[in-house]
Amino acid sequence: MNTQPANGAKPDSAEERRARIAKVVQERGSIRVVDLVDPLGVSEPTLRKDLTILEKEGVLKRTHGGAIAVEGAVSEVGGQPVAPATPQPAAPQATKDGIARYCLDMIEDDSSAFFDSGSTIVRMAELMDQPANILTHSIPVIPILAEKPRIRHTLLGGQYRPLGQCVTGPITMMGLRQFTVDTAFISVVGVTADGGYVTDVSEADIKRAAIETARRVVIPLEGRKVGQVGFCHLVGLERVDDIVTDTVNPDLQKWCTDNGVRLHTVR
């Protein structure tokens, strides 16, 4: 990761350093403290203090070992401008629909499935019609499924996380472990040769628990997320059974072949 300016100079002041950190977090979405030590030339304790100050200023949110960006964060740190986070362009609705419909074809009548949080999985709920038993921690999914009498649904309890529109925490974990599902549909922010990534540690715990309860693990993956990493590594590809995507990508094809993952490309 390169956090230095083009001339390679390290920041001269604490304010400049924090502005640099804020800019990196806004651009990348997340950062680890260990990745900042060498580029910024300061110790980890100093960087942790910087992150605490930036969190108080509303620029970012501290996580274990680093920080993640805050949507709508302030645009100035220590008098220096900080560019707002530039979100990845949203996938066209037709892309989400294609991936969602393909995933739904994987759900057999009267089988069970775990629906993770995420916009593509919400779209799955909207398009779903076949009888099945759905377990979820996603708040938006429940009112959609409640209107479909052929679909049985179970909402896990836990602590509500507004950013992810889902519940997380120990109660959610306890609830998940009471179930076994045929298929788990898991959302990620990116996939590399090392596996799938997410941005939030608490959500990662729930996703891992869901993966453990499932006989089959499917990742709906928009092509723009191939090669992207997040703050937290979620799962190795060897534990994933299927990836459904919209773009032919040679790297993704190789990663899937090497790990025995079935790759489905929506045309």
Side-chain angles (χ1 to χ4, degrees):
M1 181 200 68
N2 180 16
T3 63
Q4 296 186 23
N7 60 10
K10 291 181 172 61
D12 295 326
S13 66
E15 289 78 11
E16 183 183 354
R17 183 178 65 248
R18 289 170 195 143
R20 188 84 51 76
I21 294 169
K23 185 174 187 296
V24 171
V25 174
Q26 294 295 334
E27 289 176 346
R28 292 171 57 90
S30 63
I31 195 66
R32 297 187 305 166
V33 169
V34 294
D35 292 332
L36 293 169
V37 173
D38 289 340
L40 297 181
V42 294
S43 66
E44 289 190 26
T46 297
L47 289 166
R48 284 193 285 270
K49 290 179 182 178
D50 288 338
L51 294 181
T52 298
I53 291 171
L54 291 170
E55 183 176 47
K56 290 179 179 178
E57 294 177 349
V59 177
L60 50 76
K61 178 183 178 183
R62 289 288 308 273
T63 61
H64 180 68
I68 59 174
V70 175
E71 187 175 356
V74 299
S75 59
E76 189 174 281
V77 176
Q80 299 192 40
V82 176
T86 303
Q88 291 181 316
Q93 189 61 47
T95 296
K96 287 186 182 293
D97 285 2
I99 294 174
R101 291 182 190 280
Y102 201 106
C103 288
L104 288 174
D105 286 342
M106 296 179 172
I107 302 176
E108 297 182 3
D109 285 1
D110 298 315
S111 66
S112 60
F114 174 79
F115 275 20
D116 195 6
S117 58
S119 59
T120 299
I121 294 179
V122 170
R123 188 59 180 151
M124 287 176 60
E126 292 172 342
L127 296 172
M128 187 175 183
D129 184 52
Q130 66 265 48
N133 201 335
I134 304 301
L135 177 68
T136 187
H137 70 141
S138 172
I139 301 302
V141 162
I142 287 301
I144 297 170
L145 297 183
E147 299 297 323
K148 302 184 177 188
R150 298 210 305 162
I151 302 173
R152 300 178 300 278
H153 59 276
T154 301
L155 174 64
L156 294 164
Q159 183 177 2
Y160 178 57
R161 183 173 181 270
L163 189 60
Q165 293 188 292
C166 60
V167 293
T168 63
I171 294 175
T172 315
M173 296 282 284
M174 290 171 58
L176 256 174
R177 289 176 177 143
Q178 298 180 49
F179 298 90
T180 298
V181 296
D182 294 310
T183 309
F185 295 93
I186 305 295
S187 295
V188 298
V189 298
V191 167
T192 71
D194 295 325
Y197 287 83
V198 295
T199 58
D200 184 81
V201 174
S202 61
E203 283 195 44
D205 289 339
I206 303 306
K207 293 171 190 281
R208 290 194 190 101
I211 289 170
E212 291 174 4
T213 68
R215 298 185 179 93
R216 182 183 190 183
V217 177
V218 180
I219 294 180
L221 182 70
E222 295 160 15
R224 64 194 176 93
K225 296 180 179 180
V226 177
Q228 299 294 315
V229 297
F231 175 70
C232 180
H233 181 264
L234 174 66
V235 62
L237 289 179
E238 70 279 357
R239 183 60 185 87
V240 177
D241 297 289
D242 300 83
I243 291 179
V244 180
T245 188
D246 60 292
T247 306
V248 175
N249 185 294
D251 289 333
L252 181 60
Q253 289 176 326
K254 183 179 186 305
W255 302 336
C256 289
T257 299
D258 291 346
N259 290 277
V261 180
R262 294 180 291 266
L263 179 63
H264 313 266
T265 304
V266 178
R267 301 292 181 180

